[in-house]
PDB file of all heavy atoms in Angstrom:
ATOM      1  N   GLN Z   6       1.320  47.008  13.249  1.00  0.00           N
ATOM      2  CA  GLN Z   6       0.405  46.079  13.911  1.00  0.00           C
ATOM      3  C   GLN Z   6       0.105  44.884  13.011  1.00  0.00           C
ATOM      4  O   GLN Z   6       0.057  43.744  13.483  1.00  0.00           O
ATOM      5  CB  GLN Z   6      -0.887  46.786  14.308  1.00  0.00           C
ATOM      6  CG  GLN Z   6      -0.728  47.732  15.473  1.00  0.00           C
ATOM      7  CD  GLN Z   6      -2.029  48.459  15.798  1.00  0.00           C
ATOM      8  OE1 GLN Z   6      -3.018  48.310  15.113  1.00  0.00           O
ATOM      9  NE2 GLN Z   6      -1.989  49.251  16.858  1.00  0.00           N
ATOM     10  N   VAL Z   7      -0.086  45.150  11.716  1.00  0.00           N
ATOM     11  CA  VAL Z   7      -0.327  44.057  10.774  1.00  0.00           C
ATOM     12  C   VAL Z   7       0.883  43.132  10.733  1.00  0.00           C
ATOM     13  O   VAL Z   7       0.748  41.907  10.756  1.00  0.00           O
ATOM     14  CB  VAL Z   7      -0.671  44.610   9.372  1.00  0.00           C
ATOM     15  CG1 VAL Z   7      -0.624  43.498   8.322  1.00  0.00           C
ATOM     16  CG2 VAL Z   7      -2.023  45.287   9.376  1.00  0.00           C
ATOM     17  N   GLN Z   8       2.075  43.698  10.692  1.00  0.00           N
ATOM     18  CA  GLN Z   8       3.296  42.877  10.670  1.00  0.00           C
ATOM     19  C   GLN Z   8       3.421  42.063  11.964  1.00  0.00           C
ATOM     20  O   GLN Z   8       3.776  40.888  11.922  1.00  0.00           O
ATOM     21  CB  GLN Z   8       4.526  43.772  10.474  1.00  0.00           C
ATOM     22  CG  GLN Z   8       5.810  43.005  10.279  1.00  0.00           C
ATOM     23  CD  GLN Z   8       5.770  42.102   9.052  1.00  0.00           C
ATOM     24  OE1 GLN Z   8       5.191  42.449   8.031  1.00  0.00           O
ATOM     25  NE2 GLN Z   8       6.375  40.946   9.165  1.00  0.00           N
ATOM     26  N   ASP Z   9       3.127  42.689  13.094  1.00  0.00           N
ATOM     27  CA  ASP Z   9       3.172  41.982  14.374  1.00  0.00           C
ATOM     28  C   ASP Z   9       2.167  40.834  14.407  1.00  0.00           C
ATOM     29  O   ASP Z   9       2.466  39.740  14.900  1.00  0.00           O
ATOM     30  CB  ASP Z   9       2.898  42.941  15.540  1.00  0.00           C
ATOM     31  CG  ASP Z   9       4.032  43.931  15.760  1.00  0.00           C
ATOM     32  OD1 ASP Z   9       5.127  43.730  15.188  1.00  0.00           O
ATOM     33  OD2 ASP Z   9       3.811  44.924  16.501  1.00  0.00           O
ATOM     34  N   LEU Z  10       0.968  41.086  13.871  1.00  0.00           N
ATOM     35  CA  LEU Z  10      -0.046  40.028  13.832  1.00  0.00           C
ATOM     36  C   LEU Z  10       0.374  38.885  12.911  1.00  0.00           C
ATOM     37  O   LEU Z  10       0.162  37.715  13.236  1.00  0.00           O
ATOM     38  CB  LEU Z  10      -1.397  40.596  13.384  1.00  0.00           C
ATOM     39  CG  LEU Z  10      -2.122  41.455  14.416  1.00  0.00           C
ATOM     40  CD1 LEU Z  10      -3.347  42.097  13.793  1.00  0.00           C
ATOM     41  CD2 LEU Z  10      -2.519  40.623  15.625  1.00  0.00           C
ATOM     42  N   LYS Z  11       0.990  39.205  11.776  1.00  0.00           N
ATOM     43  CA  LYS Z  11       1.478  38.160  10.873  1.00  0.00           C
ATOM     44  C   LYS Z  11       2.542  37.316  11.555  1.00  0.00           C
ATOM     45  O   LYS Z  11       2.538  36.085  11.450  1.00  0.00           O
ATOM     46  CB  LYS Z  11       2.030  38.777   9.597  1.00  0.00           C
ATOM     47  CG  LYS Z  11       0.970  39.287   8.646  1.00  0.00           C
ATOM     48  CD  LYS Z  11       1.604  39.877   7.390  1.00  0.00           C
ATOM     49  CE  LYS Z  11       0.567  40.394   6.424  1.00  0.00           C
ATOM     50  NZ  LYS Z  11       1.182  40.975   5.214  1.00  0.00           N
ATOM     51  N   THR Z  12       3.449  37.987  12.257  1.00  0.00           N
ATOM     52  CA  THR Z  12       4.504  37.262  12.967  1.00  0.00           C
ATOM     53  C   THR Z  12       3.900  36.384  14.058  1.00  0.00           C
ATOM     54  O   THR Z  12       4.274  35.209  14.209  1.00  0.00           O
ATOM     55  CB  THR Z  12       5.505  38.263  13.588  1.00  0.00           C
ATOM     56  OG1 THR Z  12       6.043  39.070  12.555  1.00  0.00           O
ATOM     57  CG2 THR Z  12       6.621  37.539  14.313  1.00  0.00           C
ATOM     58  N   SER Z  13       2.967  36.937  14.801  1.00  0.00           N
ATOM     59  CA  SER Z  13       2.315  36.186  15.872  1.00  0.00           C
ATOM     60  C   SER Z  13       1.576  34.970  15.316  1.00  0.00           C
ATOM     61  O   SER Z  13       1.637  33.877  15.883  1.00  0.00           O
ATOM     62  CB  SER Z  13       1.345  37.102  16.620  1.00  0.00           C
ATOM     63  OG  SER Z  13       0.650  36.392  17.594  1.00  0.00           O
ATOM     64  N   GLN Z  14       0.897  35.174  14.192  1.00  0.00           N
ATOM     65  CA  GLN Z  14       0.178  34.072  13.570  1.00  0.00           C
ATOM     66  C   GLN Z  14       1.144  32.989  13.089  1.00  0.00           C
ATOM     67  O   GLN Z  14       0.867  31.798  13.236  1.00  0.00           O
ATOM     68  CB  GLN Z  14      -0.665  34.591  12.411  1.00  0.00           C
ATOM     69  CG  GLN Z  14      -1.569  33.548  11.819  1.00  0.00           C
ATOM     70  CD  GLN Z  14      -2.436  34.098  10.707  1.00  0.00           C
ATOM     71  OE1 GLN Z  14      -2.142  35.155  10.148  1.00  0.00           O
ATOM     72  NE2 GLN Z  14      -3.497  33.394  10.384  1.00  0.00           N
ATOM     73  N   ALA Z  15       2.262  33.368  12.535  1.00  0.00           N
ATOM     74  CA  ALA Z  15       3.253  32.395  12.075  1.00  0.00           C
ATOM     75  C   ALA Z  15       3.811  31.591  13.245  1.00  0.00           C
ATOM     76  O   ALA Z  15       3.991  30.376  13.149  1.00  0.00           O
ATOM     77  CB  ALA Z  15       4.378  33.102  11.337  1.00  0.00           C
ATOM     78  N   VAL Z  16       4.056  32.273  14.359  1.00  0.00           N
ATOM     79  CA  VAL Z  16       4.560  31.582  15.550  1.00  0.00           C
ATOM     80  C   VAL Z  16       3.513  30.605  16.076  1.00  0.00           C
ATOM     81  O   VAL Z  16       3.833  29.462  16.417  1.00  0.00           O
ATOM     82  CB  VAL Z  16       4.956  32.614  16.640  1.00  0.00           C
ATOM     83  CG1 VAL Z  16       5.223  31.928  17.965  1.00  0.00           C
ATOM     84  CG2 VAL Z  16       6.175  33.404  16.203  1.00  0.00           C
ATOM     85  N   MET Z  17       2.263  31.038  16.121  1.00  0.00           N
ATOM     86  CA  MET Z  17       1.192  30.161  16.603  1.00  0.00           C
ATOM     87  C   MET Z  17       1.034  28.940  15.699  1.00  0.00           C
ATOM     88  O   MET Z  17       0.829  27.828  16.183  1.00  0.00           O
ATOM     89  CB  MET Z  17      -0.123  30.935  16.709  1.00  0.00           C
ATOM     90  CG  MET Z  17      -0.149  31.917  17.860  1.00  0.00           C
ATOM     91  SD  MET Z  17      -1.573  33.036  17.898  1.00  0.00           S
ATOM     92  CE  MET Z  17      -2.937  31.973  17.614  1.00  0.00           C
ATOM     93  N   GLN Z  18       1.154  29.145  14.396  1.00  0.00           N
ATOM     94  CA  GLN Z  18       1.046  28.032  13.464  1.00  0.00           C
ATOM     95  C   GLN Z  18       2.205  27.052  13.656  1.00  0.00           C
ATOM     96  O   GLN Z  18       2.010  25.840  13.636  1.00  0.00           O
ATOM     97  CB  GLN Z  18       1.016  28.549  12.032  1.00  0.00           C
ATOM     98  CG  GLN Z  18       0.697  27.484  11.012  1.00  0.00           C
ATOM     99  CD  GLN Z  18       0.531  28.059   9.626  1.00  0.00           C
ATOM    100  OE1 GLN Z  18       0.887  29.207   9.368  1.00  0.00           O
ATOM    101  NE2 GLN Z  18       0.004  27.280   8.715  1.00  0.00           N
ATOM    102  N   ALA Z  19       3.392  27.568  13.872  1.00  0.00           N
ATOM    103  CA  ALA Z  19       4.550  26.695  14.114  1.00  0.00           C
ATOM    104  C   ALA Z  19       4.373  25.912  15.413  1.00  0.00           C
ATOM    105  O   ALA Z  19       4.699  24.721  15.480  1.00  0.00           O
ATOM    106  CB  ALA Z  19       5.827  27.522  14.164  1.00  0.00           C
ATOM    107  N   GLU Z  20       3.850  26.568  16.447  1.00  0.00           N
ATOM    108  CA  GLU Z  20       3.609  25.882  17.720  1.00  0.00           C
ATOM    109  C   GLU Z  20       2.562  24.784  17.545  1.00  0.00           C
ATOM    110  O   GLU Z  20       2.693  23.693  18.105  1.00  0.00           O
ATOM    111  CB  GLU Z  20       3.153  26.879  18.779  1.00  0.00           C
ATOM    112  CG  GLU Z  20       4.246  27.803  19.275  1.00  0.00           C
ATOM    113  CD  GLU Z  20       3.731  28.860  20.237  1.00  0.00           C
ATOM    114  OE1 GLU Z  20       2.501  29.002  20.393  1.00  0.00           O
ATOM    115  OE2 GLU Z  20       4.570  29.552  20.839  1.00  0.00           O
ATOM    116  N   LEU Z  21       1.520  25.067  16.763  1.00  0.00           N
ATOM    117  CA  LEU Z  21       0.484  24.072  16.517  1.00  0.00           C
ATOM    118  C   LEU Z  21       1.060  22.869  15.776  1.00  0.00           C
ATOM    119  O   LEU Z  21       0.766  21.717  16.128  1.00  0.00           O
ATOM    120  CB  LEU Z  21      -0.665  24.691  15.717  1.00  0.00           C
ATOM    121  CG  LEU Z  21      -1.796  23.750  15.317  1.00  0.00           C
ATOM    122  CD1 LEU Z  21      -2.486  23.195  16.564  1.00  0.00           C
ATOM    123  CD2 LEU Z  21      -2.802  24.469  14.447  1.00  0.00           C
ATOM    124  N   MET Z  22       1.893  23.135  14.782  1.00  0.00           N
ATOM    125  CA  MET Z  22       2.513  22.031  14.042  1.00  0.00           C
ATOM    126  C   MET Z  22       3.409  21.208  14.959  1.00  0.00           C
ATOM    127  O   MET Z  22       3.441  19.983  14.876  1.00  0.00           O
ATOM    128  CB  MET Z  22       3.282  22.572  12.848  1.00  0.00           C
ATOM    129  CG  MET Z  22       2.388  23.148  11.760  1.00  0.00           C
ATOM    130  SD  MET Z  22       3.299  23.928  10.418  1.00  0.00           S
ATOM    131  CE  MET Z  22       4.041  22.496   9.659  1.00  0.00           C
ATOM    132  N   GLY Z  23       4.131  21.877  15.850  1.00  0.00           N
ATOM    133  CA  GLY Z  23       4.965  21.158  16.813  1.00  0.00           C
ATOM    134  C   GLY Z  23       4.129  20.302  17.746  1.00  0.00           C
ATOM    135  O   GLY Z  23       4.480  19.159  18.047  1.00  0.00           O
ATOM    136  N   ALA Z  24       3.000  20.853  18.189  1.00  0.00           N
ATOM    137  CA  ALA Z  24       2.120  20.095  19.078  1.00  0.00           C
ATOM    138  C   ALA Z  24       1.532  18.889  18.362  1.00  0.00           C
ATOM    139  O   ALA Z  24       1.431  17.802  18.943  1.00  0.00           O
ATOM    140  CB  ALA Z  24       1.009  21.007  19.601  1.00  0.00           C
ATOM    141  N   GLN Z  25       1.164  19.064  17.098  1.00  0.00           N
ATOM    142  CA  GLN Z  25       0.631  17.942  16.333  1.00  0.00           C
ATOM    143  C   GLN Z  25       1.691  16.872  16.125  1.00  0.00           C
ATOM    144  O   GLN Z  25       1.385  15.678  16.208  1.00  0.00           O
ATOM    145  CB  GLN Z  25       0.080  18.437  14.994  1.00  0.00           C
ATOM    146  CG  GLN Z  25      -1.191  19.245  15.132  1.00  0.00           C
ATOM    147  CD  GLN Z  25      -1.625  19.901  13.836  1.00  0.00           C
ATOM    148  OE1 GLN Z  25      -0.832  20.065  12.923  1.00  0.00           O
ATOM    149  NE2 GLN Z  25      -2.889  20.280  13.758  1.00  0.00           N
ATOM    150  N   SER Z  26       2.916  17.271  15.883  1.00  0.00           N
ATOM    151  CA  SER Z  26       4.009  16.304  15.719  1.00  0.00           C
ATOM    152  C   SER Z  26       4.251  15.543  17.015  1.00  0.00           C
ATOM    153  O   SER Z  26       4.464  14.332  17.008  1.00  0.00           O
ATOM    154  CB  SER Z  26       5.288  17.017  15.292  1.00  0.00           C
ATOM    155  OG  SER Z  26       5.112  17.629  14.047  1.00  0.00           O
ATOM    156  N   THR Z  27       4.207  16.271  18.122  1.00  0.00           N
ATOM    157  CA  THR Z  27       4.392  15.634  19.427  1.00  0.00           C
ATOM    158  C   THR Z  27       3.277  14.632  19.694  1.00  0.00           C
ATOM    159  O   THR Z  27       3.519  13.526  20.186  1.00  0.00           O
ATOM    160  CB  THR Z  27       4.424  16.700  20.540  1.00  0.00           C
ATOM    161  OG1 THR Z  27       5.492  17.606  20.270  1.00  0.00           O
ATOM    162  CG2 THR Z  27       4.608  16.077  21.903  1.00  0.00           C
ATOM    163  N   GLN Z  28       2.044  15.015  19.358  1.00  0.00           N
ATOM    164  CA  GLN Z  28       0.916  14.110  19.568  1.00  0.00           C
ATOM    165  C   GLN Z  28       1.062  12.861  18.706  1.00  0.00           C
ATOM    166  O   GLN Z  28       0.825  11.746  19.176  1.00  0.00           O
ATOM    167  CB  GLN Z  28      -0.397  14.813  19.252  1.00  0.00           C
ATOM    168  CG  GLN Z  28      -1.616  13.941  19.517  1.00  0.00           C
ATOM    169  CD  GLN Z  28      -2.916  14.667  19.265  1.00  0.00           C
ATOM    170  OE1 GLN Z  28      -2.913  15.827  18.876  1.00  0.00           O
ATOM    171  NE2 GLN Z  28      -4.014  13.988  19.480  1.00  0.00           N
ATOM    172  N   ALA Z  29       1.468  13.031  17.457  1.00  0.00           N
ATOM    173  CA  ALA Z  29       1.655  11.877  16.572  1.00  0.00           C
ATOM    174  C   ALA Z  29       2.748  10.954  17.099  1.00  0.00           C
ATOM    175  O   ALA Z  29       2.597   9.731  17.084  1.00  0.00           O
ATOM    176  CB  ALA Z  29       1.984  12.359  15.165  1.00  0.00           C
ATOM    177  N   ALA Z  30       3.828  11.530  17.593  1.00  0.00           N
ATOM    178  CA  ALA Z  30       4.919  10.722  18.148  1.00  0.00           C
ATOM    179  C   ALA Z  30       4.465   9.984  19.403  1.00  0.00           C
ATOM    180  O   ALA Z  30       4.815   8.819  19.616  1.00  0.00           O
ATOM    181  CB  ALA Z  30       6.122  11.609  18.460  1.00  0.00           C
ATOM    182  N   THR Z  31       3.663  10.660  20.219  1.00  0.00           N
ATOM    183  CA  THR Z  31       3.148  10.024  21.432  1.00  0.00           C
ATOM    184  C   THR Z  31       2.243   8.852  21.086  1.00  0.00           C
ATOM    185  O   THR Z  31       2.326   7.776  21.698  1.00  0.00           O
ATOM    186  CB  THR Z  31       2.380  11.048  22.289  1.00  0.00           C
ATOM    187  OG1 THR Z  31       3.275  12.115  22.622  1.00  0.00           O
ATOM    188  CG2 THR Z  31       1.834  10.435  23.551  1.00  0.00           C
ATOM    189  N   GLU Z  32       1.371   9.048  20.105  1.00  0.00           N
ATOM    190  CA  GLU Z  32       0.475   7.965  19.693  1.00  0.00           C
ATOM    191  C   GLU Z  32       1.252   6.805  19.093  1.00  0.00           C
ATOM    192  O   GLU Z  32       0.923   5.641  19.348  1.00  0.00           O
ATOM    193  CB  GLU Z  32      -0.557   8.497  18.701  1.00  0.00           C
ATOM    194  CG  GLU Z  32      -1.576   9.411  19.353  1.00  0.00           C
ATOM    195  CD  GLU Z  32      -2.505  10.087  18.359  1.00  0.00           C
ATOM    196  OE1 GLU Z  32      -2.380   9.817  17.136  1.00  0.00           O
ATOM    197  OE2 GLU Z  32      -3.353  10.878  18.801  1.00  0.00           O
ATOM    198  N   ALA Z  33       2.290   7.098  18.326  1.00  0.00           N
ATOM    199  CA  ALA Z  33       3.121   6.031  17.756  1.00  0.00           C
ATOM    200  C   ALA Z  33       3.841   5.262  18.867  1.00  0.00           C
ATOM    201  O   ALA Z  33       3.941   4.028  18.818  1.00  0.00           O
ATOM    202  CB  ALA Z  33       4.127   6.613  16.777  1.00  0.00           C
ATOM    203  N   GLY Z  34       4.331   5.994  19.857  1.00  0.00           N
ATOM    204  CA  GLY Z  34       4.980   5.343  20.994  1.00  0.00           C
ATOM    205  C   GLY Z  34       4.020   4.465  21.774  1.00  0.00           C
ATOM    206  O   GLY Z  34       4.379   3.364  22.207  1.00  0.00           O
ATOM    207  N   HIS Z  35       2.799   4.949  21.926  1.00  0.00           N
ATOM    208  CA  HIS Z  35       1.777   4.172  22.631  1.00  0.00           C
ATOM    209  C   HIS Z  35       1.480   2.879  21.869  1.00  0.00           C
ATOM    210  O   HIS Z  35       1.388   1.801  22.473  1.00  0.00           O
ATOM    211  CB  HIS Z  35       0.513   5.019  22.784  1.00  0.00           C
ATOM    212  CG  HIS Z  35      -0.612   4.327  23.476  1.00  0.00           C
ATOM    213  ND1 HIS Z  35      -0.565   3.981  24.796  1.00  0.00           N
ATOM    214  CD2 HIS Z  35      -1.815   3.912  23.022  1.00  0.00           C
ATOM    215  CE1 HIS Z  35      -1.693   3.375  25.130  1.00  0.00           C
ATOM    216  NE2 HIS Z  35      -2.465   3.330  24.059  1.00  0.00           N
ATOM    217  N   ALA Z  36       1.333   2.990  20.547  1.00  0.00           N
ATOM    218  CA  ALA Z  36       1.063   1.808  19.727  1.00  0.00           C
ATOM    219  C   ALA Z  36       2.228   0.820  19.805  1.00  0.00           C
ATOM    220  O   ALA Z  36       2.016  -0.395  19.916  1.00  0.00           O
ATOM    221  CB  ALA Z  36       0.797   2.216  18.283  1.00  0.00           C
ATOM    222  N   ALA Z  37       3.459   1.332  19.764  1.00  0.00           N
ATOM    223  CA  ALA Z  37       4.628   0.454  19.853  1.00  0.00           C
ATOM    224  C   ALA Z  37       4.701  -0.232  21.214  1.00  0.00           C
ATOM    225  O   ALA Z  37       5.035  -1.425  21.305  1.00  0.00           O
ATOM    226  CB  ALA Z  37       5.895   1.258  19.597  1.00  0.00           C
ATOM    227  N   THR Z  38       4.360   0.508  22.252  1.00  0.00           N
ATOM    228  CA  THR Z  38       4.362  -0.072  23.599  1.00  0.00           C
ATOM    229  C   THR Z  38       3.322  -1.181  23.706  1.00  0.00           C
ATOM    230  O   THR Z  38       3.589  -2.247  24.276  1.00  0.00           O
ATOM    231  CB  THR Z  38       4.091   1.012  24.659  1.00  0.00           C
ATOM    232  OG1 THR Z  38       5.106   2.005  24.555  1.00  0.00           O
ATOM    233  CG2 THR Z  38       4.077   0.435  26.058  1.00  0.00           C
ATOM    234  N   ASN Z  39       2.130  -0.929  23.167  1.00  0.00           N
ATOM    235  CA  ASN Z  39       1.085  -1.952  23.203  1.00  0.00           C
ATOM    236  C   ASN Z  39       1.508  -3.195  22.416  1.00  0.00           C
ATOM    237  O   ASN Z  39       1.261  -4.331  22.866  1.00  0.00           O
ATOM    238  CB  ASN Z  39      -0.225  -1.400  22.634  1.00  0.00           C
ATOM    239  CG  ASN Z  39      -0.942  -0.503  23.614  1.00  0.00           C
ATOM    240  OD1 ASN Z  39      -0.646  -0.512  24.799  1.00  0.00           O
ATOM    241  ND2 ASN Z  39      -1.865   0.289  23.123  1.00  0.00           N
ATOM    242  N   ALA Z  40       2.128  -2.987  21.254  1.00  0.00           N
ATOM    243  CA  ALA Z  40       2.576  -4.127  20.447  1.00  0.00           C
ATOM    244  C   ALA Z  40       3.655  -4.925  21.182  1.00  0.00           C
ATOM    245  O   ALA Z  40       3.629  -6.163  21.191  1.00  0.00           O
ATOM    246  CB  ALA Z  40       3.098  -3.630  19.098  1.00  0.00           C
ATOM    247  N   ALA Z  41       4.581  -4.216  21.815  1.00  0.00           N
ATOM    248  CA  ALA Z  41       5.649  -4.904  22.552  1.00  0.00           C
ATOM    249  C   ALA Z  41       5.090  -5.656  23.755  1.00  0.00           C
ATOM    250  O   ALA Z  41       5.521  -6.772  24.060  1.00  0.00           O
ATOM    251  CB  ALA Z  41       6.699  -3.890  23.004  1.00  0.00           C
ATOM    252  N   THR Z  42       4.108  -5.052  24.414  1.00  0.00           N
ATOM    253  CA  THR Z  42       3.481  -5.709  25.563  1.00  0.00           C
ATOM    254  C   THR Z  42       2.769  -6.976  25.117  1.00  0.00           C
ATOM    255  O   THR Z  42       2.889  -8.030  25.756  1.00  0.00           O
ATOM    256  CB  THR Z  42       2.487  -4.755  26.253  1.00  0.00           C
ATOM    257  OG1 THR Z  42       3.202  -3.604  26.690  1.00  0.00           O
ATOM    258  CG2 THR Z  42       1.812  -5.405  27.428  1.00  0.00           C
ATOM    259  N   ALA Z  43       2.022  -6.876  24.016  1.00  0.00           N
ATOM    260  CA  ALA Z  43       1.321  -8.054  23.514  1.00  0.00           C
ATOM    261  C   ALA Z  43       2.304  -9.144  23.096  1.00  0.00           C
ATOM    262  O   ALA Z  43       2.106 -10.317  23.401  1.00  0.00           O
ATOM    263  CB  ALA Z  43       0.423  -7.667  22.337  1.00  0.00           C
ATOM    264  N   ALA Z  44       3.377  -8.741  22.410  1.00  0.00           N
ATOM    265  CA  ALA Z  44       4.384  -9.729  21.993  1.00  0.00           C
ATOM    266  C   ALA Z  44       5.049 -10.370  23.208  1.00  0.00           C
ATOM    267  O   ALA Z  44       5.281 -11.583  23.231  1.00  0.00           O
ATOM    268  CB  ALA Z  44       5.428  -9.069  21.106  1.00  0.00           C
ATOM    269  N   GLY Z  45       5.334  -9.551  24.212  1.00  0.00           N
ATOM    270  CA  GLY Z  45       5.939 -10.082  25.439  1.00  0.00           C
ATOM    271  C   GLY Z  45       5.008 -11.033  26.153  1.00  0.00           C
ATOM    272  O   GLY Z  45       5.433 -12.073  26.667  1.00  0.00           O
ATOM    273  N   THR Z  46       3.730 -10.700  26.166  1.00  0.00           N
ATOM    274  CA  THR Z  46       2.745 -11.562  26.816  1.00  0.00           C
ATOM    275  C   THR Z  46       2.669 -12.908  26.111  1.00  0.00           C
ATOM    276  O   THR Z  46       2.692 -13.963  26.755  1.00  0.00           O
ATOM    277  CB  THR Z  46       1.363 -10.882  26.819  1.00  0.00           C
ATOM    278  OG1 THR Z  46       1.474  -9.657  27.526  1.00  0.00           O
ATOM    279  CG2 THR Z  46       0.312 -11.752  27.474  1.00  0.00           C
ATOM    280  N   TRP Z  47       2.577 -12.877  24.784  1.00  0.00           N
ATOM    281  CA  TRP Z  47       2.489 -14.125  24.030  1.00  0.00           C
ATOM    282  C   TRP Z  47       3.762 -14.950  24.158  1.00  0.00           C
ATOM    283  O   TRP Z  47       3.706 -16.176  24.318  1.00  0.00           O
ATOM    284  CB  TRP Z  47       2.176 -13.847  22.558  1.00  0.00           C
ATOM    285  CG  TRP Z  47       0.726 -13.540  22.356  1.00  0.00           C
ATOM    286  CD1 TRP Z  47       0.173 -12.332  22.130  1.00  0.00           C
ATOM    287  CD2 TRP Z  47      -0.346 -14.479  22.409  1.00  0.00           C
ATOM    288  NE1 TRP Z  47      -1.189 -12.449  22.041  1.00  0.00           N
ATOM    289  CE2 TRP Z  47      -1.545 -13.765  22.210  1.00  0.00           C
ATOM    290  CE3 TRP Z  47      -0.427 -15.854  22.621  1.00  0.00           C
ATOM    291  CZ2 TRP Z  47      -2.785 -14.377  22.195  1.00  0.00           C
ATOM    292  CZ3 TRP Z  47      -1.667 -16.471  22.610  1.00  0.00           C
ATOM    293  CH2 TRP Z  47      -2.832 -15.732  22.399  1.00  0.00           C
ATOM    294  N   SER Z  48       4.910 -14.295  24.092  1.00  0.00           N
ATOM    295  CA  SER Z  48       6.154 -15.066  24.188  1.00  0.00           C
ATOM    296  C   SER Z  48       6.297 -15.669  25.582  1.00  0.00           C
ATOM    297  O   SER Z  48       6.779 -16.806  25.726  1.00  0.00           O
ATOM    298  CB  SER Z  48       7.364 -14.199  23.851  1.00  0.00           C
ATOM    299  OG  SER Z  48       7.516 -13.158  24.793  1.00  0.00           O
ATOM    300  N   THR Z  49       5.843 -14.963  26.597  1.00  0.00           N
ATOM    301  CA  THR Z  49       5.893 -15.504  27.956  1.00  0.00           C
ATOM    302  C   THR Z  49       4.963 -16.701  28.101  1.00  0.00           C
ATOM    303  O   THR Z  49       5.315 -17.715  28.715  1.00  0.00           O
ATOM    304  CB  THR Z  49       5.510 -14.409  28.979  1.00  0.00           C
ATOM    305  OG1 THR Z  49       6.412 -13.315  28.839  1.00  0.00           O
ATOM    306  CG2 THR Z  49       5.549 -14.921  30.403  1.00  0.00           C
ATOM    307  N   MET Z  50       3.773 -16.581  27.506  1.00  0.00           N
ATOM    308  CA  MET Z  50       2.823 -17.701  27.599  1.00  0.00           C
ATOM    309  C   MET Z  50       3.347 -18.921  26.835  1.00  0.00           C
ATOM    310  O   MET Z  50       3.208 -20.062  27.309  1.00  0.00           O
ATOM    311  CB  MET Z  50       1.449 -17.273  27.053  1.00  0.00           C
ATOM    312  CG  MET Z  50       0.748 -16.304  27.979  1.00  0.00           C
ATOM    313  SD  MET Z  50      -0.925 -15.759  27.551  1.00  0.00           S
ATOM    314  CE  MET Z  50      -1.306 -16.378  26.002  1.00  0.00           C
ATOM    315  N   ILE Z  51       3.966 -18.694  25.683  1.00  0.00           N
ATOM    316  CA  ILE Z  51       4.498 -19.818  24.906  1.00  0.00           C
ATOM    317  C   ILE Z  51       5.661 -20.478  25.645  1.00  0.00           C
ATOM    318  O   ILE Z  51       5.755 -21.710  25.710  1.00  0.00           O
ATOM    319  CB  ILE Z  51       4.917 -19.337  23.500  1.00  0.00           C
ATOM    320  CG1 ILE Z  51       3.667 -18.987  22.690  1.00  0.00           C
ATOM    321  CG2 ILE Z  51       5.768 -20.369  22.790  1.00  0.00           C
ATOM    322  CD1 ILE Z  51       3.944 -18.313  21.378  1.00  0.00           C
ATOM    323  N   ALA Z  52       6.534 -19.651  26.218  1.00  0.00           N
ATOM    324  CA  ALA Z  52       7.658 -20.212  26.982  1.00  0.00           C
ATOM    325  C   ALA Z  52       7.146 -20.973  28.202  1.00  0.00           C
ATOM    326  O   ALA Z  52       7.660 -22.049  28.537  1.00  0.00           O
ATOM    327  CB  ALA Z  52       8.601 -19.089  27.407  1.00  0.00           C
ATOM    328  N   GLY Z  53       6.131 -20.427  28.853  1.00  0.00           N
ATOM    329  CA  GLY Z  53       5.561 -21.130  30.013  1.00  0.00           C
ATOM    330  C   GLY Z  53       4.929 -22.452  29.616  1.00  0.00           C
ATOM    331  O   GLY Z  53       5.074 -23.469  30.321  1.00  0.00           O
TER     332      GLY Z  53
END
């Protein structure tokens, strides 16, 4: 039972790390999208 709990805990920790990595990637993508949108907006206004 102790070994099973250790294994379960290791799996849960790995899943948590994966979720945190996914969240960080999502936030980075969101920031990049916002930056690209702002750059596109400014370049469109300058061209106009």
Side-chain angles (χ1 to χ4, degrees):
Q6 287 178 356
V7 168
Q8 187 60 36
D9 290 347
L10 287 173
K11 286 181 180 180
T12 302
S13 176
Q14 187 178 18
V16 169
M17 288 171 47
Q18 189 174 13
E20 288 175 350
L21 177 63
M22 291 175 69
Q25 289 172 340
S26 297
T27 301
Q28 183 177 1
T31 301
E32 289 173 2
H35 179 67
T38 301
N39 283 344
T42 300
T46 300
W47 282 105
S48 64
T49 301
M50 289 183 354
I51 290 171

